[in-house]
């Protein structure tokens, strides 16, 4: 597990005792890049979509972020926000949060 964590493909859920490790298929930075590449390729830059659409929408079939863990997807969106590439808007529910 330590090798997964060291490579960025794992995270300790309990970093003090290290008994639970989350294995990441794609690192948050990779997912962020994949989401942005998808947005550019599909004309979604500067257009609004919901977190649900990024997670389960018809337009994302086969993408690396399809069905991704919501927390991980939110971290990827946070990275894009830090880079000034998107903005997250609060919806009535977490799945209704908008991304532009």
């Amino acid at each position: 597990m330590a090798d997964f964590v060291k490579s960025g493909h794992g995270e300790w859920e309990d970093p003090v005792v290290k008994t639970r490790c989350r294995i990441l298929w794609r690192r948050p930075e990779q997912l962020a890049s994949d989401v942005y590449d998808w947005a550019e390729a599909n004309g979604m830059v500067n257009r609004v979509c919901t977190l649900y659409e990024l997670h389960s929408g018809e337009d994302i079939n086969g993408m690396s972020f399809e069905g991704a863990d919501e927390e991980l997807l939110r971290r990827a969106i946070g990275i894009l926000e830090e880079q000034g590439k998107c903005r997250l808007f609060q919806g009535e529910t977490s799945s209704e949060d908008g991304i532009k």
Side-chain angles (χ1 to χ4, degrees):
M1 294 297 115
D3 288 338
F4 279 115
V5 172
K6 185 177 179 180
S7 72
H9 289 282
E11 300 173 336
W12 293 113
E13 291 184 359
D14 55 352
V16 175
V17 283
K18 297 181 180 178
T19 58
R20 293 180 47 179
C21 184
R22 176 185 299 205
I23 304 301
L24 306 172
W25 174 252
R26 310 269 296 164
R27 292 178 296 157
E29 299 82 9
Q30 292 170 313
L31 282 182
S33 178
D34 292 349
V35 167
Y36 193 76
D37 290 347
W38 170 84
E40 282 187 313
N42 290 281
M44 294 300 291
V45 174
N46 293 320
R47 296 186 67 196
V48 176
C49 69
T50 65
L51 188 64
Y52 176 81
E53 289 172 311
L54 279 181
H55 179 272
S56 303
E58 294 175 5
D59 296 337
I60 55 101
N61 287 336
M63 300 303 298
S64 65
F65 49 90
E66 178 183 16
D69 177 73
E70 183 178 334
E71 179 187 337
L72 183 59
L73 190 53
R74 285 182 177 278
R75 287 175 49 200
I77 298 301
I79 290 167
L80 292 174
E81 274 191 298
E82 289 172 6
Q83 296 172 349
K85 294 181 176 179
C86 78
R87 185 167 171 194
L88 182 64
F89 300 92
Q90 291 289 103
E92 289 188 28
T93 65
S94 64
S95 65
E96 292 176 349
D97 286 352
I99 300 122
K100 179 177 182 179

